Each structure stands twice: as C-alpha cells, then as structure tokens.
Amino acid sequence: MMEGTRSGGLLAQMPPGDNAPPLSVSEISGQLKRMVEDRFSHVRIRGEISGFKRAASGHCYLALKDDKAVIDGIIWKGTAQRLPFRPEDGLDVIATGKLTTFPGRSKYQITIESLELAGEGALMQLFEKLKARLAGEGLFDPERKRALPFLPRTIGVVTSPTGSVIRDILHRLADRFPSHVLVWPVLVQGEGAAGQVAAAVRGFGAMPLAERPDLLIVARGGGSIEDLWAFNEEPVVRAIAESVIPVISAVGHETDTTLADFAADRRAPTPTAAAEMAVPVRADLLAGLGELGLRATRAINRTQALARERLEARAQRLPRLTDLLSPQQQRADDLGERLRAALGLRLADARGTLARASGALRPAVLDARAGLARERLARLTLDPAVLERITGRAAERLAGLERVLAQLDPDAPLQRGYARVTAADGRTLIDKAAAAGEPSLKLHFRDGVLDVVPADGPATPPTAKPKPKPAEPRQPSFL
C-alpha cells in the first residue's frame, strides 16, 4: 500500500514527459489486488442472481446485479455445500464475503462466504418455484398418500431432543395410549438441519423390519419462514416422499405450511395434534370393547331365549314316549313267546338226531364197517408176482422197439462207408433229379458234413414231399 502511494506520488510530482519508472502489468495488477482486498475484506452485497452455474469441480459461478451494475461472484466448493438453499437465477439475495480481483481478465469479483435470501418475498418466491417443480414430479400426488396404522407398536420421532416439542408429543402419547417411542435427535433450523432431518427419515426406513417403527412424526415448533426453511429443502421433501414408513408432518403452528407437509402422508397443525393422530384414546377403546362385549352378550342371550322357545314349541307337538313305545313293547312280548316255543321244538329235534347218531356209533357197527373196508383194500392191492410179470413183458417190448429204431436210423449205414445227401433245409435226397434242383447240397459222412454244389447247376426243384411224422411210441399196458 505504501509502495503504491509512493509510486502514485512520484507520478503526480513528475511533470508530463518525465521518464518515470514504468510498472509491469503484473505489478500494477498485484497492487490493485492488494488495495481492493485490504479495503473490501468484508462486504455484504444485495442483488439478483444471474447466470448461475456449477462447475464440474463443485465451485459455483454467478453474477449479482441490480438495475445499474453487475458484479461477478464465486462460491468455492466447500462453501457451496453448506448453503442453506439452492441458488437459482432471479433470486434476490444478500452475499457476504470479500472483494478480490482476477488479474487474468482485469476484473474484480466477490468471493462469497455465505448467502441468504433477501427478505420474506424472496423466500416465498423460492418456495413456490420449488413447490411447482416437485409437484410436477408427482411427489405431492394424493395417490401417493398412505393410510396411517390404527395402533402403531413403535413410533419414530424426528425432532430436536431439547425443545418442548418432544415433551409435548411424549406427554400426549402417554395420556392417550402409551407407546414405544424412538427419538432421532436432529437440528431443526440453521446450517446442516436439512441434511440431518433427511438422514433421520432415511435412517428409520433402513432399520431392520423387526425394529423399524410403524409410524414417523417429523416435528418442529413454530417460527418464521426462515426458521422453518430446513423443512422446505429438497432433500427433506424427497426423503419424506420416498419413506417406506407412513409419515406425519407436524412443523410449525396451524398457519405455517412447509413442503414437508405436502410430501407427508398426513399433516398435523401442531406436534400435539400429530400425537393425537398417531394413536387412539386407550380409554375410548376399552369403553368401546366393553360396549361391544355387552352387545355380544345380549345378542347371545336373545338368540338362546328364542331357540329355547322354538324348542319348547316343537317339543309340545311331539307324541308321548309311551305312545311311541307301546306297539314295540307288545311286539317284543309276542316275539319272546314265539322264541321260547321255537327253542323247545328245536331242542327236541336235536335230541332225536343225537339219539339216531349215537345208535350208529355202537362198537359192533363200527367193527363191521372196518371189516368191509379191509376187504376192499385187499382187492385193490396187486400181488408182487403179477406185478413182476407185467414189468418183464414191458421191458421185452421196449428192447424190441430199440432194435427196430437202430435198424431204421438213416445214419447207421454211414459207419459202413456210405454217405447221405441232404438239401440245405435238411431234407434227405434219394435221386439225381432232386439233387440237381438244389442250389447247394450237404454230404453227411461218418465223421462230419461236407457242403457241395451240383455240377449241372440248380434245376427245377421237384415237388417236396411232406416228411412223414415219426410214429409215437405206444405206452406199455400193464393190464
């Protein structure tokens, strides 16, 4: 700074045309950079965002303008990740940071360290734009809304653990229907609040099914639109819309409206009302069950009384037992008398039969019958001498048959030097004409068979004579 002043003073003292030491472009740019950064190290600028873009590196570039001037701005990646809202063209904002120069382009710009919306009108403008965009994606459609469980076993609450909201919810749940409550502590306003709320909603949904709550309550007390802005952030809205657990949004008072209310399955005007929506009144349920029990008892008693009246009326129309059984008793008495008489007759007949049978079983009669049986057996038994004569005659006859069989055997002459000629099918050939008509012949010798072909070739085969059947041997007669 002093160097710049001294140089500027020398230039001012030297008259025109003097040979003042020239400065390089880099030197004068460096002096300007130090002067601007020292003089404007902390500034707040209000203007409208224009030309906003996010580079691949994560840095954001924009311009702030009003009706007369424009100043460029840059938001480094780390700062951009901590912004409470998403910058868009047309938003009226207040940027806090420091001015610096960019020597490569001879431009000055503001390095933005924080960014906030300028006034409630800008917030509402951003609110409406984000609402319209998310509604266009279907995140607020009524068809996405789910029914709340009638009696949740476990309720998850996403809220600040130190505020009065959690105490109001727990107190109201204890009054109506004591339930198991899981609290996920989060920031409900300020930097990082939106990320914590979104992470809590997704965290409850990622729990194991056996430990997962049946219902979620996202709650916060009342406040200004700036205080409630975390529940208008896109990550929170998407987390609630994509939650696998039904969600009740209880943000602010009855007149406060956030985008989380549109994405949730139900909106409660207050956190206390959310607790009332979550569970029924236990006393009312018990009273209702008691009333239903009384009605069931009265209905059963009325049904029994009506059935008893109908049964008595029908019983009166039935005949008396004595009238039904008297004919059967008379018939039973008659059958009893007939049975007694029939048994007497049957017993007498059995005695007669026994007497006749016992007379035939006397020893003398049995001896006579045994003697007759012995005589018949003696007649049927063959004498050994007779049996031997019959066997001898049968053996002589069998030997004669064997001698005739040996004489008639066609292969017997083969032992004396003869040969037997047969066709291929085994027929014995006895003349030349029959042999000439065969394509091949077989010569049977004593020690084997020889296949031959006739010299004259095959001739017209003679008519084959049927081969006589061998006579069946006669069975010897033993009589």
Side-chain angles (χ1 to χ4, degrees), residues 274-329:
E276 295 175 355
M277 290 181 181
V279 294
V281 180
R282 185 173 182 271
D284 293 345
L285 290 180
L286 294 176
L289 289 175
E291 178 63 24
L292 291 175
L294 292 176
R295 291 174 60 185
T297 302
R298 288 195 296 268
I300 292 174
N301 294 336
R302 185 166 55 253
T303 303
Q304 289 180 345
L306 181 60
R308 188 180 298 108
E309 293 176 1
R310 291 177 178 176
L311 180 60
E312 292 175 354
R314 292 176 181 177
Q316 293 176 357
R317 297 190 184 96
L318 293 175
R320 292 180 299 175
L321 183 61
T322 56
D323 296 340
L324 290 174
L325 296 181
S326 57
Q328 307 302 327
Q329 290 176 346

Side-chain angles (χ1 to χ4, degrees), residues 134-212:
L134 296 179
E137 297 180 16
L139 268 62
F140 305 150
D141 291 347
E143 293 78 9
R144 296 174 56 93
K145 309 297 182 182
R146 293 162 295 184
L148 302 182
F150 174 71
L151 193 60
R153 294 172 299 175
T154 304
I155 300 174
V157 180
V158 180
T159 189
S160 171
T162 59
S164 60
V165 171
I166 185 62
R167 292 194 297 271
D168 293 342
I169 292 176
L170 294 177
H171 179 72
R172 196 57 176 161
L173 290 176
D175 288 344
R176 292 175 64 86
F177 200 106
S179 304
H180 182 56
V181 178
L182 296 177
V183 180
W184 195 303
V186 296
L187 293 175
V188 293
Q189 73 180 64
E191 184 177 341
Q196 291 188 17
V197 173
V201 174
R202 297 187 188 277
F204 272 127
M207 294 175 63
L209 186 60
E211 304 174 6
R212 184 186 303 169

Side-chain angles (χ1 to χ4, degrees), residues 205-400:
M207 294 175 63
L209 186 60
E211 304 174 6
R212 184 186 303 169
D214 302 313
L215 180 66
L216 290 186
I217 298 177
V218 179
R220 188 206 185 281
S224 64
I225 187 172
E226 292 85 356
D227 297 335
L228 305 179
W229 191 255
F231 297 90
N232 291 321
E233 292 291 336
E234 185 174 349
V236 174
V237 178
R238 291 192 181 276
I240 293 176
E242 297 169 1
S243 173
V244 297
I245 307 173
V247 179
I248 298 177
S249 174
V251 179
H253 297 304
E254 187 171 359
T255 56
D256 298 324
T257 302
T258 63
L259 295 181
D261 298 333
F262 295 100
D265 297 289
R266 290 285 296 276
R267 175 187 179 270
T270 61
T272 303
E276 295 175 355
M277 290 181 181
V279 294
V281 180
R282 185 173 182 271
D284 293 345
L285 290 180
L286 294 176
L289 289 175
E291 178 63 24
L292 291 175
L294 292 176
R295 291 174 60 185
T297 302
R298 288 195 296 268
I300 292 174
N301 294 336
R302 185 166 55 253
T303 303
Q304 289 180 345
L306 181 60
R308 188 180 298 108
E309 293 176 1
R310 291 177 178 176
L311 180 60
E312 292 175 354
R314 292 176 181 177
Q316 293 176 357
R317 297 190 184 96
L318 293 175
R320 292 180 299 175
L321 183 61
T322 56
D323 296 340
L324 290 174
L325 296 181
S326 57
Q328 307 302 327
Q329 290 176 346
Q330 185 176 359
R331 185 171 178 229
D333 294 340
D334 182 48
L335 291 175
E337 294 296 329
R338 291 172 60 186
L339 179 61
R340 187 177 298 109
L343 288 176
L345 294 175
R346 179 63 177 166
L347 182 60
D349 185 54
R351 287 197 183 98
T353 303
L354 179 61
R356 290 191 296 274
S358 62
L361 294 176
R362 292 193 302 274
V365 176
L366 291 176
D367 290 342
R369 293 183 66 181
L372 293 175
R374 291 191 190 97
E375 292 177 0
R376 291 182 63 189
L377 179 62
R379 288 195 298 270
L380 292 175
T381 304
L382 292 176
D383 187 13
V386 176
L387 183 61
E388 184 177 357
R389 287 197 301 271
I390 294 174
T391 305
R393 287 197 298 268
E396 292 175 0
R397 187 176 179 184
L398 179 59

Side-chain angles (χ1 to χ4, degrees), residues 444-459:
H444 297 261
F445 295 95
R446 176 179 61 83
D447 56 350
V449 180
L450 180 63
D451 293 332
V452 298
V453 178
D456 297 339

